[in-house]
């Protein structure tokens, strides 16, 4: 019996030192190195278990207890969860090379990018993530709210979506922080979605209600604010 209690205590300690963190695949790729490095240098008692997946699946993983916390883009909140905003995104159109929609762009004071409306790209081939992802949820909401139909090709891989833009095959809607992007590449340009149709979303660190007081949450939150 004593041996069983000892094993149980060791398991509890192991779980206390483990941080199960989830994010989207592209975000995991971009932040993982700095996140691991900062955590292990400053907090040697913790180990990070990084999981990636679609935003909806990750949010549900927090609710089920499979994940301690997730970093995802959201445009709405669930009562059972705690959301801590890291930064805000706005909707941009990454227009494919050679698109005739470029000629429809306008310029608005205070916006550093050329501006397009949904109607301007209605005839464009669009590449988007699969359903369940944050970007796709926003795109579907835009189409529903403005009664616009877009011809969508689905790809679960961000690198594939970007390559389709840069090869002139498709245009890509995505949520970006305006302070974190350049003007695009020589094979595709970022356009700002018109303010009348704009949807702002937030990148949040999310956990179950009450877990935000746990040291693991505050540690990861502070590291993300430093590296992001």
């Amino acid at each position: 019996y004593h041996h069983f209690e000892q094993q149980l205590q060791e398991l509890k300690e192991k779980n206390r030192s483990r941080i199960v963190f989830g994010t989207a695949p592209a975000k995991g790729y971009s932040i993982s190195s700095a996140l691991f490095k900062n955590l292990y240098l400053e907090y040697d008692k913790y180990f990070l278990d990084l999981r990636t997946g679609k935003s909806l699946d990750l949010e549900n993983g927090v609710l089920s207890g499979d994940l301690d916390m997730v970093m995802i883009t959201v445009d709405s909140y669930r009562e059972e969860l705690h959301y801590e905003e890291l930064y805000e995104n706005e909707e941009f159109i990454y227009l494919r090379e050679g698109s005739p929609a470029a000629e429809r762009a306008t310029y608005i004071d205070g916006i550093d990018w050329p501006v397009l409306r949904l109607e301007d790209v209605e005839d464009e081939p669009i590449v988007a993530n699969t359903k369940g992802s944050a970007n796709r949820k926003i795109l579907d909401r835009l189409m529903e709210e403005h009664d616009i139909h877009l011809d969508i090709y689905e790809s679960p891989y961000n690198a594939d979506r970007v390559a389709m833009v840069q090869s002139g095959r498709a245009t890509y809607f995505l949520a970006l922080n305006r302070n974190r992007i350049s003007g695009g590449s020589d094979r595709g340009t970022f356009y700002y979605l018109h303010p009348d149709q704009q949807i702002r979303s937030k990148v949040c660190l999310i956990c179950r209600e009450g877990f935000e007081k746990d040291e693991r949450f505050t540690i990861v939150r502070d590291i993300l604010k430093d590296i992001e």
Side-chain angles (χ1 to χ4, degrees):
Y1 180 76
H2 176 72
H3 180 63
F4 172 75
E5 279 193 328
Q6 186 177 13
Q7 285 182 317
L8 188 60
Q9 185 62 33
E10 287 174 355
L11 181 60
K12 287 181 180 178
E13 290 300 321
K14 183 179 179 181
N15 287 337
R16 283 290 306 165
S17 66
R18 181 168 167 250
I19 302 172
V20 188
F21 171 82
T23 192
K27 180 59 69 176
Y29 178 80
S30 67
I31 69 170
S32 58
S33 178
L35 181 56
F36 278 111
K37 180 180 177 182
N38 280 269
L39 178 69
Y40 293 163
L41 282 176
E42 299 293 328
Y43 306 97
D44 58 2
K45 75 175 183 177
Y46 289 114
F47 295 89
L48 186 69
D49 182 354
L50 177 62
R51 313 273 181 90
T52 61
K54 295 178 182 178
S55 297
L56 180 60
D57 294 338
L58 292 171
E59 210 169 22
N60 287 336
V62 174
L63 279 172
S64 69
D66 293 332
L67 298 166
D68 293 322
M69 65 195 82
V70 297
M71 177 188 178
I72 57 173
T73 300
V74 298
D75 63 343
S76 60
Y77 300 97
R78 297 163 79 161
E79 290 184 1
E80 315 96 306
L81 298 176
H82 172 83
Y83 295 79
E84 191 136 345
E85 181 183 342
L86 300 174
Y87 55 88
E88 184 178 74
N89 283 335
E90 296 165 282
E91 198 68 9
F92 283 80
I93 301 169
Y94 193 17
L95 194 66
R96 67 187 173 96
E97 171 72 6
S99 170
E103 299 176 3
R104 304 180 193 122
T106 58
Y107 290 85
I108 297 177
D109 287 345
I111 298 176
D112 296 334
W113 296 269
V115 175
L116 286 171
R117 302 182 68 92
L118 290 169
E119 295 83 355
D120 297 327
V121 296
E122 197 168 5
D123 296 327
E124 279 288 298
I126 304 295
V127 62
N129 204 343
T130 52
K131 288 186 178 292
S133 66
N135 274 327
R136 181 57 183 275
K137 180 183 177 184
I138 294 171
L139 180 56
D140 288 345
R141 178 180 157 191
L142 281 167
M143 289 191 294
E144 181 179 354
E145 288 183 0
H146 299 282
D147 194 25
I148 293 286
H149 172 76
L150 298 173
D151 185 18
I152 295 175
Y153 168 78
E154 292 186 343
S155 173
Y157 305 109
N158 186 65
D160 182 32
R161 298 192 292 271
V162 171
M164 291 188 73
V165 174
Q166 296 179 351
S167 64
R169 295 182 63 181
T171 287
Y172 180 22
F173 282 76
L174 67 171
L176 297 169
N177 182 280
R178 63 165 64 195
N179 298 319
R180 297 162 185 260
I181 64 172
S182 61
S185 76
D186 58 355
R187 289 188 164 276
T189 303
F190 288 114
Y191 290 74
Y192 188 83
L193 183 62
H194 195 282
D196 290 347
Q197 299 174 328
Q198 185 60 238
I199 288 181
R200 287 174 170 79
S201 54
K202 299 182 187 301
V203 175
C204 295
L205 186 62
I206 305 168
C207 67
R208 297 178 299 282
E209 280 290 354
F211 191 79
E212 72 274 11
K213 300 180 179 68
D214 191 291
E215 183 185 46
R216 289 169 289 179
F217 182 85
T218 59
I219 285 171
V220 173
R221 177 200 62 200
D222 293 345
I223 292 174
L224 288 173
K225 286 184 175 181
D226 285 341
I227 67 178
E228 280 284 282

